[in-house]
Amino acid sequence: MVLRRCTRLLGDEQAARDVMHDVFVQVLSKAEVLDERAPSSLLFRIATNLCLNRLRTTRRRPETVDSELLMDIALTSDPAGRSAARSALDRLFRHEPEGTALVAVLHLVDRMTLEEVAGEVGLSVSGVRKRLRRLRDRLHAQEASP
């Protein structure tokens, strides 16, 4: 029931599963104060509110993934290309904080959500978003320079 509601509101199966898990985390963390008389209505209301929050967040701060160059680098199979890729990545991450590479891999390669990445690396969602934005800006600047 919760997954169907989330999928209908979000239109994305993976995002719906993430929100569904968040619904049950909220229920478990606030079990002492919840009214148990209408559990299905409670789950439905929590799911609706979390989905609407997710939609608002996505609309305000869309997750744009400019990872085409990073995927090209990752898929390069010839030795000269790998050397060039290592050099490009070294230039890209040289002045970044140590965890930025991990943040980029978790989000861009492993396809984790910003919330999941934040929980994994111990940053806030806005901190993860800021690192990815700064990395994307550096990547575009690096592409533009000869």
Side-chain angles (χ1 to χ4, degrees):
M1 174 189 85
V2 173
L3 182 59
R4 273 195 316 267
R5 176 65 175 168
C6 294
T7 303
R8 197 165 109 227
L9 287 172
L10 297 173
D12 176 19
E13 181 78 22
Q14 184 59 42
R17 287 187 185 284
D18 290 343
V19 172
M20 178 186 70
H21 291 289
D22 292 343
V23 167
F24 291 105
V25 167
Q26 272 200 1
V27 167
L28 291 173
S29 66
K30 298 180 181 182
E32 316 75 51
V33 296
L34 295 177
D35 184 10
E36 300 172 2
R37 287 181 287 183
S40 62
S41 296
L42 175 68
L43 291 172
F44 196 73
R45 189 178 75 235
I46 293 171
T48 300
N49 289 338
L50 289 176
C51 286
L52 292 175
N53 289 344
R54 173 74 60 103
L55 289 170
R56 267 186 233 110
T57 300
T58 303
R59 192 171 44 245
R60 286 183 194 142
R61 296 184 202 104
E63 294 180 22
T64 56
V65 180
D66 295 331
S67 62
E68 190 173 313
L69 177 64
L70 292 177
M71 290 309 289
D72 288 345
I73 290 171
L75 297 174
T76 299
S77 61
D78 66 281
R82 271 184 270 162
S83 177
R86 279 192 203 100
S87 176
L89 288 172
D90 182 49
R91 282 192 315 274
L92 183 63
F93 289 107
R94 183 177 300 143
H95 300 292
E96 290 294 321
E98 195 170 306
T100 301
L102 177 60
V103 167
V105 168
L106 291 175
H107 185 65
L108 300 173
V109 178
D110 295 342
R111 301 279 189 216
M112 292 175 74
T113 65
L114 294 175
E115 292 84 6
E116 292 170 332
V117 174
E120 189 71 29
V121 299
L123 292 171
S124 65
V125 173
S126 62
V128 170
R129 188 176 287 113
K130 181 179 176 181
R131 284 191 185 197
L132 290 171
R133 187 178 327 117
R134 187 174 49 219
L135 190 61
R136 185 179 61 239
D137 293 345
R138 281 185 188 237
L139 180 62
H140 288 301
Q142 187 172 319
E143 284 179 320
S145 67

